Amino acid sequence: MTDINFYHLTARPLEWALPKLLEKSLQAEARAVVMASSEERVATLNAHLWSYDPDSWLPHGSEKDGHAADQPVWLTTEDENPNGARFLFLTDGATSARVGTFERVFELFDGRNDEAVAAARARWKEYKDAGHTLAYWRQTDAGGWEKAG
């Protein structure tokens, strides 16, 4: 079964947390797919990943960039895996029917949004009922992570 990790964003936004988690994924030699809820969000994340840290380089692309198979990180709104990723990042409430085909799934949700929290709880129950291995990570005030539950 797939390891599914919920990341409850409370202190820092997705734009801060996502690059750090993607960096760790690449250090583990794991390709990633990042699903967002809209093309506008994909474009925003695409631009942000090039500029979030002037001392860092996080190779990635989207449909606009092309060459999906060559991209270590693929940004999309589609439920796809064109780069052979082992890790799936679900953001902004995006959902996938393919979670079982990934080694690890990261559910990142805004803890300051009641609808996002309720949706994450519903997905937790669905994943648990399907037999996946679940973990919950709470964001600390400094933006780090502590495992809870």
Side-chain angles (χ1 to χ4, degrees), residues 26-40:
L26 294 179
Q27 288 170 358
E29 298 182 8
R31 288 173 168 252
V33 169
V34 178
M35 282 184 64
S37 59
S38 70
E39 290 297 334
E40 294 80 15

Side-chain angles (χ1 to χ4, degrees), residues 86-136:
R86 294 180 9 225
F87 293 177
L88 172 64
F89 289 78
L90 298 170
T91 68
D92 305 318
T95 60
S96 171
R98 302 166 42 100
V99 296
T101 66
F102 290 89
E103 181 180 315
R104 192 165 179 195
V105 174
F106 299 74
E107 284 265 0
L108 291 96
F109 65 98
D110 184 350
R112 297 166 294 200
N113 179 314
D114 291 340
E115 290 178 21
V117 171
R121 286 183 179 139
R123 286 191 304 277
W124 177 282
K125 183 178 180 341
E126 290 172 21
Y127 296 147
K128 184 175 182 182
D129 291 347
H132 296 290
T133 303
L134 305 178
Y136 170 77

